[in-house]
Amino acid sequence: MMEALDIFASAGLWAAVLRIATPLIFGTLGALICERSGVLNLGIEGIMTFGAMIGWMTVYHGGGLWAGIAVAALSGAMFGLLHAAMTVPLGLSQHVTGLGITLFASSLSYYIFRLSIPVSGSPPTIVPFQPIAIPGLSDIPFLGEALFSQTAPTYLAILLAVVAAIALARTPLGLAVRIVGENPHAAEAQGIDPIRLRIGAVVVGSALMAVGGAFLTLSAFNSFFPTMVQGRGWVCIALVVFASWKPARALLGALLFALFDAYQLRLSHVVGKAIPYQLFLMIPYLMSILALLVMARRARVPQALMQPFRRGER
Amino acid sequence: MSIAVSRRAFLLGTAAGTLALATSRVSAAEKLKVAGIHASPVENAWNSRLHEALLAAAKDGVIEYTFSEGVSGTDYPRAMREYAEAGNKLIVGESYAVETEARQVAADYPDTAFLMGSSGGPAGDNFGTFGTWNHEAAYLAGMLAAPMSKTGTFGAVGAIPIPEVNILINAFRAGVSEARPDAKFLVGFIGTFFDPPKARESGLAQIDAGADILFGERIGTADAAKEKGIKSVGSLLDYTPRYPETVFANAMWYFRPILDAAVKDVQAGEKTGKDYSPYSFMKEGGNDIVFSESMVIKDSIPAMEAKRKAIKDGSFKVPVDPSEPT
């Protein structure tokens, strides 16, 4: 029993939490921004896959790591534009369009990857982001290793969560996004164009999703595999609900999910065969469902989520 | 998602296949028409072994090879039928997700031979099976690994505890234990065949728990070892070029002996509904250890080589233990 608790005292656990959480933070923030403006974006899984592929491909062909992140963001923005064009001015079903984008983007990544990289059991590698030491902070015992030995995108993800929280709650633009998600007609009466704003929110949100995917190939690993996103996008969609559509809670939710995951990887070594390993793999998802039950009761869904805005409609 | 991926891949595969057929028709008089149906992308370590052997056989002029990859379970029997209808004489693949349906398809096409990676046995006259047995090489890798550890703790990262994975990890452990009876073992299953970042996290968790040698059944494990400056063993293919400072030994698996045996049977018109697993054994050239001499402890090599010889001449049998390692 003590050993199960000792795990929490290891710096490695907390470092793993931040690593595992990073793609989820990007993805959840992206999905959250889309949904706050009233558009559900189920294209996330495919957009993350494409971001992972194109980001890696950029670096493989000689680009810098940050160029990889930028290209991934740009590709995400393009898929976002596609999703927005279908769902916002045309008002098509957001579920169907989103799933369509996921199918399209993941298949297209596979296609591009297969055409441009020779088949091999050990695909080519790039040199990924390295952990950066923050002067002063990284030398603190325990905390330094636990929290300040990450790669740059991880710090960026946390920074973005803070920026998104402030922007949504405290800026005129954030207010406009929120109104459009609650009552687009009221927004229009205020002189805000809900169509343009929604398109903008989906484009920005989708760009963040793609960066989350790019983290997998540019920092968490150094090669691309066509199926490597492994449902992380769907986890992000659930985390948005967990977060009650609030960026700060989204950060918390992603960290909590990552904590369960990092913990179960270690717990299995302590407990051994007493419990089947499948149970450990379930832990993060089970805990997320439990947390969801508690949090979702109080969650306030954006009132106009999934409702297309048609000008002049009553 | 997987359906759309597989469909696209299937189209791509068949398109490429048709192209290949068109260009090689002139010289293809005696070559056996062989199709590969891969449930995963051919990057997957296991599929890449099949794919590589099939490509090599095609290059040697023994067979004519077309393939599809990323074919999901729901599409798999249909792909088998299409390749059978297209006149392929031997269809190579994996029936792990479609054991019953694959055997039904085989029964419908008695003139086509099927050679499938399978957890079940052969069926009828034309449904042959094979297991992925590189446990002998894993045992030898364990012998080399044993004296290299300072902590005496050996980790292993696997996908899912199916017999083929278990046998491999258990054989590695048996090899370690022979030289080091007090060794402590850790194992982590990531529940998927395709998540290198997760395999890496699992490896890092084991290093946190004291492991200083990792057996990487999954790609991504060696990345954890590399990051923490410890050593690692690869499985199925040679990971040393990818991680030159980290992977000191690989339990290689070669599909070619199984393929050659099946091709020979088809050409001779003999029954192919049999278990081809024995061609995975070291004495058939189906698996072997490759290692970098400069990275291992010199004194451990002669004992390992002696054991290797004993395995080849049949005087030593590596224990086959399919129980789930803990």
Side-chain angles (χ1 to χ4, degrees):
Chain A
M1 193 59 211
M2 279 314 290
E3 282 176 314
L5 293 176
D6 281 347
I7 297 172
F8 288 107
S10 82
L13 172 82
W14 299 101
V17 167
L18 285 176
R19 270 195 312 268
I20 297 171
T22 303
L24 302 177
I25 297 173
F26 280 116
T28 309
L29 285 178
L32 186 143
I33 291 171
C34 295
E35 291 184 30
R36 260 335 255 275
S37 79
V39 181
L40 175 71
N41 190 350
L42 294 184
I44 183 167
E45 183 84 5
I47 294 174
M48 286 180 83
T49 307
F50 199 88
M53 187 279 295
I54 204 77
W56 180 87
M57 201 72 97
T58 305
V59 179
Y60 180 67
H61 287 297
L65 287 163
W66 287 109
I69 296 276
V71 171
L74 195 69
S75 75
M78 295 309 289
F79 282 110
L81 196 62
L82 179 64
H83 184 64
M86 308 277 249
T87 56
V88 182
L90 297 179
L92 299 176
S93 160
Q94 298 179 3
H95 283 111
V96 176
T97 310
L99 290 175
I101 300 262
T102 281
L103 295 174
F104 174 52
S106 45
S107 309
L108 188 64
S109 339
Y110 194 172
Y111 185 72
I112 294 175
F113 183 71
R114 174 60 73 249
L115 287 191
S116 44
I117 304 293
V119 168
S120 151
S122 171
T125 57
I126 53 141
V127 179
F129 281 104
Q130 300 300 318
I132 42 174
I134 301 177
L137 293 177
S138 302
D139 302 327
I140 306 172
F142 188 78
L143 276 184
E145 193 197 336
L147 305 178
F148 301 109
S149 58
Q150 300 293 329
T151 58
T154 300
Y155 300 121
L156 177 67
I158 293 166
L159 185 70
L160 268 174
V162 176
V163 169
I166 294 172
L168 266 180
R170 301 261 181 264
T171 65
L173 180 67
L175 180 65
V177 170
R178 282 186 289 140
I179 302 177
V180 165
E182 299 292 338
N183 188 336
H185 296 284
E188 198 185 25
Q190 293 290 321
I192 299 166
D193 183 347
I195 303 267
R196 284 173 63 178
L197 204 71
R198 279 188 172 176
I199 293 177
V202 174
V203 165
V204 170
S206 304
L208 288 183
M209 295 171 183
V211 172
F215 178 83
L216 292 175
T217 47
L218 298 184
S219 179
F221 197 58
N222 52 14
S223 295
F224 173 76
F225 286 85
T227 52
M228 72 189 293
V229 175
Q230 289 284 336
R232 287 177 176 87
W234 308 133
V235 171
C236 294
I237 295 287
L239 283 175
V240 174
V241 181
F242 172 84
S244 308
W245 289 269
K246 291 194 172 80
R249 286 198 201 166
L251 176 63
L252 186 75
L255 290 173
L256 206 59
F257 182 88
L259 174 63
F260 294 140
D261 203 12
Y263 185 68
Q264 67 89 5
L265 286 172
R266 288 162 176 79
L267 188 63
S268 60
H269 300 147
V270 176
V271 183
K273 206 180 188 174
I275 302 170
Y277 89 103
Q278 288 90 343
L279 205 75
F280 293 113
L281 289 176
M282 267 195 288
I283 289 175
Y285 302 94
L286 274 181
M287 295 306 284
S288 304
I289 292 173
L290 277 180
L292 206 58
L293 283 176
V294 177
M295 301 295 285
R297 291 161 70 102
R298 290 181 300 153
R300 274 197 65 255
V301 186
Q303 289 298 303
L305 180 60
M306 290 187 277
Q307 288 172 7
F309 169 75
R310 294 191 179 85
R311 208 155 258 144
E313 188 183 58
R314 284 192 292 167
Chain B
M1 185 192 82
S2 53
I3 295 176
V5 170
S6 63
R7 237 174 236 158
R8 186 172 288 270
F10 184 78
L11 287 176
L12 180 66
T14 40
T18 320
L19 204 69
L21 278 182
T23 49
S24 62
R25 188 150 291 164
V26 187
S27 59
E30 292 299 315
K31 289 182 203 171
L32 191 70
K33 278 181 79 174
V34 178
I37 310 177
H38 304 280
S40 303
V42 284
E43 270 80 29
N44 181 8
W46 188 84
N47 295 89
S48 77
R49 301 309 289 160
L50 268 63
H51 188 64
E52 223 167 74
L54 285 157
L55 284 177
K59 205 176 166 210
D60 294 348
V62 183
I63 63 167
E64 212 181 280
Y65 172 49
T66 56
F67 73 99
S68 292
E69 57 177 328
V71 179
S72 67
T74 43
D75 267 353
Y76 206 93
R78 181 182 60 79
M80 289 171 72
R81 285 182 193 280
E82 283 188 18
Y83 277 117
E85 298 276 354
N88 289 287
K89 293 292 165 228
L90 174 65
I91 295 178
V92 179
E94 55 200 294
S95 61
Y96 296 106
V98 287
E99 298 285 9
T100 312
E101 296 87 338
R103 285 170 176 76
Q104 283 165 352
V105 172
D108 290 345
Y109 296 94
D111 295 334
T112 309
F114 294 85
L115 176 63
M116 296 274 151
S118 167
S119 304
D125 286 336
N126 64 334
F127 191 86
T129 55
F130 64 90
T132 312
W133 287 17
N134 55 334
H135 62 293
E136 294 164 324
Y139 185 96
L140 298 180
M143 290 181 70
L144 290 182
M148 290 173 70
S149 169
K150 291 190 185 73
T151 62
T153 303
F154 300 79
V157 178
I160 294 171
I162 54 171
E164 276 163 341
V165 173
N166 297 346
I167 289 170
L168 192 66
I169 294 177
N170 287 328
F172 171 73
R173 290 179 169 188
V176 172
S177 297
E178 186 189 303
R180 209 164 166 159
D182 61 336
K184 202 173 152 249
F185 298 107
L186 302 172
V187 70
F189 291 106
I190 58 170
T192 165
F193 286 93
F194 256 115
D195 199 338
K198 188 147 192 170
R200 171 174 164 243
E201 287 298 343
S202 183
L204 288 171
Q206 296 182 350
I207 297 169
D208 278 353
D212 66 353
I213 299 280
L214 294 183
F215 181 77
E217 198 270 324
R218 287 289 104 195
I219 188 165
T221 315
D223 291 86
K226 186 178 165 193
E227 193 175 322
K228 295 289 177 184
I230 64 157
K231 300 283 183 266
S232 161
V233 177
S235 178
L236 289 179
L237 53 106
D238 186 357
Y239 284 106
T240 304
R242 190 184 172 105
Y243 310 97
E245 309 288 315
T246 306
V247 177
F248 62 91
N250 298 276
M252 302 290 290
W253 179 61
Y254 302 99
F255 180 64
R256 191 71 192 271
I258 295 176
L259 178 66
D260 285 348
V263 167
K264 206 170 130 226
D265 283 344
V266 174
Q267 278 169 336
E270 277 176 33
K271 172 177 165 167
T272 53
K274 61 185 188 192
D275 184 6
Y276 285 89
S277 301
Y279 293 97
S280 262
F281 285 131
M282 196 176 279
K283 65 167 184 278
E284 301 286 349
N287 79 92
D288 209 345
I289 185 171
V290 297
F291 64 101
S292 347
E293 246 171 75
S294 61
M295 292 169 78
V296 301
I297 291 167
K298 287 268 174 304
D299 303 343
S300 63
I301 299 176
M304 189 279 294
E305 289 290 0
K307 196 64 99 182
R308 188 176 175 207
K309 203 164 153 280
I311 292 172
K312 278 186 179 166
D313 67 25
S315 60
F316 177 76
K317 273 205 172 9
V318 174
V320 172
D321 175 9
S323 65
E324 185 179 330
T326 51

